[in-house]
Amino acid sequence: MKKIFVMLAAAVLSAGIMSAQDLNAALELANQGNDAFTAGSPELALEAFQQSLKIAEGLGEEGANHVETCKTAICNIYMSLAKNTYKEKNWDGAVEAFAKAKEVATQFGNAEVVAEAEELTKSAAANKLAGLAAEAKKVKDFPAAIGYYKQMVEMDPTNGGYALQLGQTYMSVKDWAAAEQNLLFAKDNGQEKNAVKLLSRLYLSRCQEALKLKKYQEALDFAKKSNEFDESANAYKLGASAARALNNLTVCEEMYLKYLEVSPNAKDASDIKLTLAASYQKAGNKAKAKE
């Protein structure tokens, strides 16, 4: 019986020594992986940490802490590889790399990396679509550009920047309702400065269209709306023309005076004053005409 106890004790001691050796080997591999990553070799670092993880997983409770360390390192390395691809503007490659990082992080239960990978996947996909949209706009294929921007908005419905680009492109095809909807959304979602300028231009374009069609009240309303967003001399001048056509000389004068106020060095200032005078004379208001 004594001999059996001695043999068992020797076996336990031997297992302890082997366990310690394995843990040291795992730690050494992890150190090599860390050095490789610091030296700018993430692929070598990944291989080292994967080997270290495999050893640590075989150690049970003794290797539990190191298992978690390796898993965190592996997730971070996959994200680093994906981010490098992103920086190179290889959007398809980045999407694939982030998908791999997400897959590994999900397997290892790393919620933080999963969330970051999902966010950057959207960003890479959106950058690809933005590039395609820009190329389409260069050749004036606005319907194609609209399609790309719509995909971007569908990917991130709360992104004011995407809505701004979509609204601006809708303006190019004179889809005023769609343009207005997206620009108003952009204005309320972080793009106020740019959206306000575009909305002013949109209503100015609609004013010009209405004038050509002799829809003078619409033209006047659009001119006023344009100036509500971003005051411009052109909107006042066009609004004055619409008001004059409507024989609303009071509004006409107000808008012409605002035009001259916004553009004091306008070359047509004298012509405008003569136009006002002739309009008042025609209306029988000689005092205003003389003024």
Side-chain angles (χ1 to χ4, degrees):
M1 187 67 69
K2 185 176 180 181
K3 187 175 181 181
I4 294 174
F5 284 136
V6 171
M7 290 175 62
L8 285 173
V12 170
L13 180 62
S14 175
I17 293 171
M18 289 181 66
S19 177
Q21 289 175 340
D22 286 344
L23 183 58
N24 285 335
L27 291 171
E28 179 59 28
L29 281 166
N31 287 331
Q32 291 174 14
N34 190 58
D35 291 342
F37 187 79
T38 303
S41 300
E43 292 87 354
L44 291 177
L46 181 61
E47 184 179 347
F49 274 109
Q50 286 172 332
Q51 291 177 9
S52 181
L53 173 63
K54 188 174 181 179
I55 294 172
E57 285 177 331
L59 296 175
E61 287 297 320
E62 292 183 23
N65 288 336
H66 189 64
V67 164
E68 294 306 314
T69 298
C70 288
K71 285 181 177 181
T72 299
I74 289 169
C75 287
N76 290 336
I77 293 169
Y78 271 115
M79 280 299 291
S80 178
L81 287 166
K83 287 177 180 178
N84 287 340
T85 307
Y86 185 96
K87 289 176 183 177
E88 294 167 357
K89 297 184 178 182
N90 177 357
W91 308 126
D92 287 332
V95 167
E96 185 178 341
F98 284 125
K100 179 62 178 177
K102 178 184 174 182
E103 177 189 339
V104 172
T106 301
Q107 179 187 343
F108 290 165
N110 192 323
E112 184 178 345
V113 170
V114 168
E116 186 180 14
E118 287 177 346
E119 193 64 29
L120 288 173
T121 297
K122 290 180 183 177
S123 180
N127 281 328
K128 177 184 177 180
L129 290 168
L132 292 170
E135 290 300 318
K137 286 165 73 173
K138 280 182 183 179
V139 296
K140 300 190 183 302
D141 188 355
F142 298 114
I146 287 170
Y148 294 129
Y149 286 133
K150 285 177 74 174
Q151 289 182 61
M152 291 166 65
V153 169
E154 287 169 5
M155 285 168 48
D156 189 355
T158 63
N159 192 306
Y162 298 165
L164 183 83
Q165 292 171 310
L166 179 56
Q168 185 175 19
T169 311
Y170 270 126
M171 285 177 64
S172 299
V173 295
K174 298 185 178 181
D175 188 339
W176 306 124
E180 181 183 44
Q181 178 184 351
N182 282 279
L183 292 175
L184 286 172
F185 180 86
K187 181 179 80 69
D188 296 333
N189 289 272
Q191 295 292 324
E192 183 173 4
K193 183 178 179 180
N194 293 325
V196 159
K197 289 185 178 297
L198 287 171
L199 283 163
S200 179
R201 280 173 45 194
L202 183 153
Y203 295 123
L204 187 61
S205 296
R206 299 206 68 179
C207 172
Q208 292 169 325
E209 278 191 351
L211 277 174
K212 288 179 182 178
L213 296 172
K214 298 184 179 181
K215 296 180 178 181
Y216 299 119
Q217 187 58 55
E218 282 189 20
L220 179 58
D221 292 340
F222 284 132
K224 288 179 178 179
K225 208 161 187 179
S226 176
N227 277 324
E228 286 175 10
F229 283 96
D230 190 30
E231 190 177 47
S232 73
N234 203 17
Y236 282 122
K237 187 176 179 180
L238 292 175
S241 297
R244 182 166 170 250
L246 292 166
N247 290 318
N248 190 339
L249 296 183
T250 301
V251 173
C252 177
E253 181 181 12
E254 289 174 359
M255 297 201 104
Y256 269 139
L257 289 175
K258 288 294 292 184
Y259 167 70
L260 294 174
E261 181 184 317
V262 173
S263 184
N265 299 318
K267 293 180 180 179
D268 58 354
S270 296
D271 292 336
I272 283 173
K273 292 171 184 176
L274 284 171
T275 298
L276 272 172
S279 297
Y280 277 119
Q281 185 178 25
K282 184 178 179 181
N285 192 337
K286 292 183 180 180
K288 271 287 186 181
K290 287 181 180 180
E291 181 187 332

